[in-house]
Amino acid sequence: MKSNPNILVVIIFFLTFLIHFSLWKFVFHLDEIIIVKFYLFLSVMFMMMITMIILINRVVPEFLGLAVIGLILLKFGLMYLIRNKLHFETIPGYKFHFVVPYFVLTTLLTYYAIRLINHDKKQ
């Protein structure tokens, strides 16, 4: 049975959120509003980027790899801008809490793009 990359990406995303939220709430005893806002932002950005990757793959599939690099740079810039809104610096160990989910979602985005590229090569 072949696994659907969409389902795999969603499951890994929610597992990342559940593990991180559990650590945030029960181990570090921090305010859950910040982490929920952060993951809400990441979720919206992730879905927008997946949508952009699908659209780019339909229109100009030969530039999909370059588009993924550009989207990752855009995501990095937006993360830099939002860090002041969420007051990351007030949280102890904030680099661990916000860099790890960023890289997990960037990895999932890259995995999804690779699956699309490989699927196009087979056809």
Side-chain angles (χ1 to χ4, degrees):
M1 185 167 107
K2 293 180 88 171
S3 66
N4 187 349
N6 298 339
I7 294 172
L8 183 64
V9 167
V10 169
I11 289 172
I12 292 174
F13 175 77
F14 281 115
L15 283 176
T16 302
F17 172 71
L18 289 175
I19 291 168
H20 193 196
F21 185 79
S22 299
L23 287 172
W24 184 275
K25 179 81 174 154
F26 302 115
V27 175
F28 298 109
H29 305 289
L30 298 170
D31 184 26
E32 64 270 1
I33 297 298
I34 295 174
I35 193 77
V36 170
K37 285 181 181 178
F38 177 66
Y39 271 95
L40 183 62
F41 171 76
L42 282 179
S43 299
V44 169
M45 286 299 301
F46 187 68
M47 290 300 124
M48 285 174 43
M49 289 186 174
I50 291 292
T51 304
M52 289 297 296
I53 285 176
I54 291 170
L55 290 174
I56 291 168
N57 189 44
R58 288 184 183 166
V59 177
V60 283
E62 62 270 6
F63 294 117
L64 185 60
L66 187 61
V68 169
I69 293 171
L71 288 172
I72 290 171
L73 288 173
L74 176 68
K75 182 179 169 184
F76 181 73
L78 291 173
M79 286 296 298
Y80 182 76
L81 293 175
I82 198 170
R83 72 179 171 84
N84 291 331
K85 287 277 197 191
L86 292 179
H87 308 290
F88 285 175
E89 291 81 16
T90 61
I91 300 164
Y94 73 95
K95 290 180 182 176
F96 167 75
H97 287 293
F98 299 110
V99 170
V100 172
Y102 172 82
F103 283 122
V104 167
L105 289 179
T106 303
T107 303
L108 289 175
L109 184 73
T110 306
Y111 169 75
Y112 191 81
I114 290 171
R115 293 288 300 229
L116 281 176
I117 291 169
N118 286 340
H119 181 7
D120 286 345
K121 284 185 180 179
K122 288 180 184 177
Q123 294 181 0

